[in-house]
Amino acid sequence: MKKRIAVGAAMLLTLGTAVASTFLYGHEPAARERMVEKQITLPSDNQPSTQTVTPEMIAMWKATAASTDYEAPKAPI
């Protein structure tokens, strides 16, 4: 008896999920949403110029770099 209730509840849950996903993803977007082209702005769009890398910056990076921070990836067994 408990097994039948569990199977029935699982079937209802599966069917409910399928119906809910149909409502969310099964319909076309509204006509107004299709016509509007969305613009995406990136943080780099607001910066007029990018920073150039100088030899002094590279020397500072090399001086502050620590090879002990690196941990090699593990190979799967």
Side-chain angles (χ1 to χ4, degrees), residues 16-30:
T17 304
V19 170
S21 64
T22 301
F23 283 124
L24 291 174
Y25 299 108
H27 302 292
E28 289 185 29

Side-chain angles (χ1 to χ4, degrees), residues 27-49:
H27 302 292
E28 289 185 29
R32 189 189 71 174
E33 290 179 68
R34 278 184 277 162
M35 292 181 170
V36 176
E37 187 175 315
K38 299 190 178 182
Q39 297 286 327
I40 298 174
T41 58
L42 301 173
S44 60
D45 294 341
N46 297 332
Q47 297 173 351
S49 65

Side-chain angles (χ1 to χ4, degrees), residues 3-20:
K3 196 181 280 187
R4 283 187 181 179
I5 293 173
V7 170
M11 288 177 65
L12 283 175
L13 184 63
T14 304
L15 181 62
T17 304
V19 170

